[in-house]
Amino acid sequence: MKYLHGQPHALPGHGQRLAAYEARHFLFAVEAGVATLTLNRPERKNPLTFDSYAELRDLFRALATSEDVKAIVIAGAGENFCSGGDVHEIIGPLTQLDMPGLLAFTRMTGDVVKAMRACPQPIVAAIDGICAGAGAMLALASDIRLGTERSKTAFLFTRVGLAGCDMGACALLPRVIGQGRAAELLYTGRSMSGGEGERWGFFNSLHAPAGVLAAAHAFAADLARGPTFAHGMTKKMLQQEWNMGVDEAIEAEAQAQAICMATNDFHRAYHAFVAKQKPAFEGD
């Protein structure tokens, strides 16, 4: 039996329930199929630590086989999303590591993004205030991003003498906002405002700071009530088709759609349509 921070969970291929999971380095709660993950160090603008990186990686891996989580909201406590890696708890210690240690760290941070993209549940990010560095990558790795006018998103890596290619940024950001715009942000490390982020397609929509989390929950709750198996298939195809030619993509989608046509949700939708009713999806 495997364990997630001391708590037993099912082996891959078997459903597990995460409603009782007690996070150590952030807040985590599940209600009506929606998991809410809240970075919770508001006095420091919710920075990440070695431990929170590792727990995020493990939790998103566990979500891949969760029975009770159908959609995920990720947010920051207070008036900011995430300021990136903690300067004192991460950046300072990194200057003392040898190359194998540095590579182990950068691979771990990249594994967080891999786990977010691999889990089948749609991830909705509620982004207010500062969204910087690794925090910007958590936002970028999400499926839907809701922001505010005062959101400030910055891929700060070059500001500290690092390349702008951290945690998959050079692969993901051009696909979201375009090559030229991504290059500008990654070379300069400058902040992208909320309005600019919406115009460029980084944010799906903007909301009042007091309402952005509620909007994210409403979006996620609507997804959780939908055909969640089909949502997982959609996310998988959005990820996989980046590396396919058009002919390969069409064939892959033919196979994916045939699989979805064999689900009970597809049959429920048909019978509900015939009866002039709204389908009640169950995710199977």
Coordinates of all heavy atoms in Angstrom, one line a residue, residues 5-52:
H5 N 1.9 11.3 2.4 CA 2.1 12.0 3.7 C 1.5 11.2 4.8 O 0.8 11.8 5.6 CB 1.7 13.4 3.6 CG 2.5 14.2 2.7 ND1 3.8 14.6 3.0 CD2 2.2 14.8 1.5 CE1 4.3 15.4 2.0 NE2 3.3 15.5 1.1
G6 N 1.8 9.9 4.9 CA 1.3 9.2 6.0 C -0.1 8.6 6.0 O -0.5 7.9 6.8
Q7 N -0.8 9.0 4.9 CA -2.2 8.6 4.8 C -2.3 7.5 3.7 O -1.8 7.8 2.6 CB -3.1 9.7 4.5 CG -3.1 10.8 5.6 CD -4.2 11.8 5.4 OE1 -5.2 11.6 4.7 NE2 -4.1 13.0 6.0
P8 N -2.9 6.4 3.9 CA -3.0 5.3 2.9 C -3.9 5.8 1.8 O -4.9 6.4 2.0 CB -3.6 4.1 3.7 CG -4.3 4.7 4.8 CD -3.5 6.0 5.2
H9 N -3.5 5.4 0.6 CA -4.4 5.7 -0.6 C -4.2 4.5 -1.5 O -3.3 3.7 -1.5 CB -4.1 7.0 -1.2 CG -2.7 7.1 -1.8 ND1 -2.4 6.6 -3.1 CD2 -1.6 7.8 -1.4 CE1 -1.2 6.9 -3.4 NE2 -0.7 7.6 -2.4
A10 N -5.2 4.4 -2.5 CA -5.2 3.2 -3.3 C -4.1 3.2 -4.3 O -3.5 4.2 -4.7 CB -6.6 3.3 -4.0
L11 N -3.8 2.0 -4.8 CA -2.8 1.9 -5.8 C -3.4 2.4 -7.1 O -4.6 2.5 -7.3 CB -2.5 0.4 -6.0 CG -1.7 -0.2 -4.8 CD1 -1.6 -1.7 -4.9 CD2 -0.3 0.4 -4.7
P12 N -2.5 2.7 -8.1 CA -3.0 3.2 -9.4 C -4.0 2.2 -10.0 O -3.8 1.0 -10.0 CB -1.8 3.3 -10.2 CG -0.7 3.6 -9.2 CD -1.1 2.8 -8.0
G13 N -5.1 2.8 -10.6 CA -6.1 2.0 -11.2 C -7.3 1.7 -10.3 O -8.3 1.2 -10.7
H14 N -7.1 2.1 -9.0 CA -8.2 1.9 -8.0 C -8.6 3.2 -7.5 O -7.8 4.0 -7.1 CB -7.8 0.9 -6.9 CG -7.4 -0.4 -7.4 ND1 -8.3 -1.4 -7.5 CD2 -6.2 -0.9 -7.8 CE1 -7.7 -2.5 -8.0 NE2 -6.5 -2.2 -8.2
G15 N -9.9 3.5 -7.3 CA -10.4 4.7 -6.9 C -10.0 5.0 -5.4 O -9.9 4.1 -4.6
Q16 N -9.7 6.3 -5.1 CA -9.4 6.7 -3.7 C -10.2 8.0 -3.5 O -10.6 8.7 -4.4 CB -7.9 6.9 -3.6 CG -7.4 8.0 -4.5 CD -5.9 8.2 -4.3 OE1 -5.5 8.4 -3.2 NE2 -5.1 8.2 -5.4
R17 N -10.5 8.2 -2.2 CA -11.2 9.4 -1.8 C -10.3 10.3 -1.0 O -9.6 9.9 -0.1 CB -12.4 9.0 -0.9 CG -13.4 8.0 -1.6 CD -14.6 7.7 -0.8 NE -15.4 8.9 -0.7 CZ -16.3 9.3 -1.6 NH1 -16.4 8.6 -2.8 NH2 -17.0 10.4 -1.4
L18 N -10.3 11.6 -1.4 CA -9.3 12.5 -0.9 C -10.0 13.6 0.0 O -9.3 14.5 0.5 CB -8.5 13.2 -2.0 CG -7.6 12.3 -2.8 CD1 -6.9 13.1 -3.9 CD2 -6.5 11.8 -1.8
A19 N -11.3 13.4 0.3 CA -12.0 14.4 1.1 C -11.4 14.5 2.5 O -11.4 15.6 3.1 CB -13.5 14.1 1.2
A20 N -10.9 13.4 3.0 CA -10.3 13.4 4.3 C -8.8 13.7 4.4 O -8.2 13.8 5.5 CB -10.5 12.0 5.0
Y21 N -8.2 14.0 3.2 CA -6.8 14.3 3.2 C -6.5 15.6 3.9 O -7.1 16.6 3.7 CB -6.3 14.4 1.7 CG -4.9 14.8 1.6 CD1 -3.8 14.0 2.1 CD2 -4.5 16.1 1.1 CE1 -2.5 14.4 2.0 CE2 -3.2 16.5 1.0 CZ -2.2 15.7 1.5 OH -0.9 16.1 1.4
E22 N -5.5 15.6 4.8 CA -5.1 16.7 5.6 C -3.8 17.2 5.1 O -2.7 16.6 5.3 CB -5.0 16.4 7.1 CG -6.4 16.0 7.7 CD -6.3 15.7 9.2 OE1 -5.2 15.8 9.7 OE2 -7.3 15.3 9.7
A23 N -3.8 18.3 4.3 CA -2.6 18.9 3.8 C -1.7 19.5 4.9 O -2.2 20.0 5.9 CB -2.9 20.0 2.7
R24 N -0.4 19.4 4.7 CA 0.5 19.9 5.6 C 1.0 21.3 5.3 O 1.4 22.1 6.2 CB 1.7 19.0 5.8 CG 1.4 17.6 6.3 CD 2.6 16.8 6.5 NE 2.3 15.4 7.0 CZ 3.2 14.5 7.3 NH1 4.5 14.8 7.1 NH2 2.8 13.3 7.7
H25 N 1.1 21.7 4.0 CA 1.8 22.9 3.6 C 0.9 23.9 2.9 O 1.4 24.9 2.3 CB 3.1 22.5 2.8 CG 4.0 21.6 3.6 ND1 4.7 22.0 4.7 CD2 4.3 20.3 3.4 CE1 5.4 21.0 5.1 NE2 5.2 20.0 4.4
F26 N -0.4 23.6 2.8 CA -1.4 24.5 2.3 C -2.7 24.0 2.7 O -2.8 23.0 3.5 CB -1.3 24.5 0.7 CG -1.1 23.2 0.1 CD1 -2.1 22.3 -0.1 CD2 0.2 22.8 -0.3 CE1 -1.9 21.0 -0.6 CE2 0.4 21.5 -0.9 CZ -0.7 20.6 -1.1
L27 N -3.8 24.6 2.4 CA -5.1 24.2 2.8 C -5.7 23.4 1.6 O -5.5 23.6 0.5 CB -6.0 25.4 3.0 CG -5.5 26.4 4.1 CD1 -6.5 27.5 4.3 CD2 -5.3 25.7 5.5
F28 N -6.5 22.4 2.0 CA -7.1 21.5 1.0 C -8.5 21.0 1.6 O -8.6 20.6 2.7 CB -6.2 20.3 0.7 CG -6.8 19.4 -0.3 CD1 -6.6 19.7 -1.7 CD2 -7.4 18.2 0.0 CE1 -7.1 18.8 -2.7 CE2 -7.9 17.3 -1.0 CZ -7.8 17.7 -2.3
A29 N -9.5 21.2 0.7 CA -10.9 20.8 1.1 C -11.6 20.3 -0.1 O -11.4 20.8 -1.2 CB -11.6 21.9 1.8
V30 N -12.5 19.4 0.1 CA -13.3 18.8 -1.0 C -14.8 19.0 -0.6 O -15.2 18.6 0.5 CB -13.0 17.3 -1.3 CG1 -13.9 16.8 -2.4 CG2 -11.6 17.1 -1.6
E31 N -15.6 19.6 -1.5 CA -17.0 19.7 -1.3 C -17.7 19.6 -2.7 O -17.4 20.3 -3.6 CB -17.3 21.1 -0.7 CG -18.8 21.3 -0.4 CD -19.1 22.6 0.3 OE1 -18.1 23.4 0.6 OE2 -20.3 23.0 0.5
A32 N -18.7 18.7 -2.7 CA -19.5 18.5 -3.9 C -18.7 18.2 -5.1 O -19.0 18.7 -6.2 CB -20.5 19.7 -4.1
G33 N -17.7 17.5 -5.0 CA -16.8 17.1 -6.1 C -15.8 18.1 -6.5 O -15.0 17.8 -7.4
V34 N -15.7 19.2 -5.8 CA -14.7 20.3 -6.1 C -13.7 20.3 -5.0 O -14.0 20.6 -3.8 CB -15.4 21.7 -6.3 CG1 -14.3 22.7 -6.5 CG2 -16.3 21.6 -7.5
A35 N -12.4 20.1 -5.3 CA -11.3 20.3 -4.4 C -10.8 21.7 -4.5 O -10.6 22.2 -5.6 CB -10.2 19.3 -4.7
T36 N -10.6 22.3 -3.3 CA -10.0 23.7 -3.3 C -8.7 23.6 -2.6 O -8.6 23.2 -1.4 CB -11.0 24.6 -2.5 OG1 -12.2 24.7 -3.1 CG2 -10.4 26.0 -2.5
L37 N -7.6 24.0 -3.3 CA -6.3 24.0 -2.8 C -5.9 25.5 -2.6 O -5.8 26.2 -3.6 CB -5.4 23.3 -3.8 CG -4.0 22.9 -3.4 CD1 -3.4 21.8 -4.3 CD2 -3.0 24.1 -3.4
T38 N -5.6 25.8 -1.4 CA -5.3 27.2 -1.1 C -3.9 27.4 -0.5 O -3.6 26.8 0.5 CB -6.3 27.8 -0.1 OG1 -7.6 27.6 -0.5 CG2 -6.0 29.3 0.1
L39 N -3.0 28.1 -1.3 CA -1.7 28.4 -0.7 C -1.9 29.4 0.4 O -2.5 30.4 0.2 CB -0.8 29.0 -1.9 CG -0.7 28.1 -3.1 CD1 0.0 28.9 -4.2 CD2 0.0 26.8 -2.8
N40 N -1.3 29.1 1.6 CA -1.7 29.7 2.8 C -0.6 30.3 3.6 O -0.4 30.0 4.8 CB -2.5 28.7 3.6 CG -3.3 29.4 4.8 OD1 -3.7 30.5 4.7 ND2 -3.3 28.7 5.9
R41 N 0.1 31.2 3.0 CA 1.1 32.0 3.7 C 0.9 33.5 3.3 O 1.8 34.1 2.7 CB 2.5 31.5 3.4 CG 2.8 30.1 3.8 CD 4.2 29.7 3.4 NE 5.2 30.3 4.2 CZ 6.5 30.4 3.9 NH1 6.9 29.8 2.8 NH2 7.4 31.0 4.7
P42 N -0.2 34.0 3.6 CA -0.6 35.4 3.1 C 0.4 36.5 3.5 O 0.5 37.5 2.8 CB -2.0 35.6 3.6 CG -2.1 34.7 4.8 CD -1.3 33.5 4.4
E43 N 1.0 36.3 4.7 CA 1.9 37.4 5.2 C 3.1 37.5 4.3 O 3.8 38.5 4.3 CB 2.3 37.1 6.6 CG 3.2 35.9 6.8 CD 2.6 34.5 6.7 OE1 1.3 34.5 6.5 OE2 3.3 33.5 6.8
R44 N 3.4 36.5 3.5 CA 4.6 36.5 2.6 C 4.1 36.4 1.1 O 4.9 36.0 0.3 CB 5.5 35.3 2.9 CG 6.0 35.3 4.4 CD 7.2 36.2 4.5 NE 8.3 35.7 3.7 CZ 9.2 34.7 4.1 NH1 9.0 34.1 5.3 NH2 10.2 34.3 3.4
K45 N 2.9 36.6 0.9 CA 2.3 36.5 -0.5 C 2.3 35.0 -1.0 O 2.5 34.8 -2.2 CB 3.0 37.5 -1.5 CG 2.8 38.9 -1.0 CD 3.5 39.9 -2.0 CE 3.4 41.3 -1.5 NZ 4.1 42.3 -2.4
N46 N 2.2 34.1 -0.1 CA 2.0 32.7 -0.4 C 3.2 32.1 -1.2 O 3.0 31.4 -2.2 CB 0.7 32.5 -1.1 CG -0.5 33.0 -0.4 OD1 -0.6 32.8 0.8 ND2 -1.3 33.8 -1.1
P47 N 4.4 32.2 -0.7 CA 5.5 31.6 -1.5 C 5.6 30.1 -1.3 O 5.0 29.5 -0.3 CB 6.8 32.2 -0.8 CG 6.3 32.5 0.6 CD 4.9 32.9 0.5
L48 N 6.3 29.4 -2.1 CA 6.5 28.0 -2.1 C 7.7 27.6 -1.4 O 8.7 28.4 -1.4 CB 6.5 27.4 -3.5 CG 5.2 27.6 -4.3 CD1 5.4 27.1 -5.7 CD2 4.0 26.9 -3.7
T49 N 7.8 26.4 -0.8 CA 9.0 25.9 -0.1 C 9.3 24.6 -0.7 O 8.5 24.0 -1.5 CB 8.7 25.8 1.4 OG1 7.7 24.8 1.6 CG2 8.3 27.1 2.0
F50 N 10.4 24.0 -0.3 CA 10.8 22.7 -0.8 C 9.7 21.7 -0.4 O 9.3 20.8 -1.2 CB 12.1 22.2 -0.1 CG 13.3 22.9 -0.6 CD1 14.1 23.7 0.3 CD2 13.8 22.8 -1.9 CE1 15.2 24.4 -0.1 CE2 14.9 23.4 -2.3 CZ 15.6 24.2 -1.5
D51 N 9.1 21.8 0.8 CA 8.1 20.9 1.2 C 6.8 21.1 0.5 O 6.1 20.1 0.2 CB 7.9 21.1 2.8 CG 9.0 20.5 3.6 OD1 9.8 19.6 3.1 OD2 9.2 21.0 4.7
S52 N 6.4 22.3 0.2 CA 5.1 22.5 -0.4 C 5.2 22.1 -1.9 O 4.2 21.5 -2.4 CB 4.7 24.0 -0.4 OG 5.6 24.9 -0.9

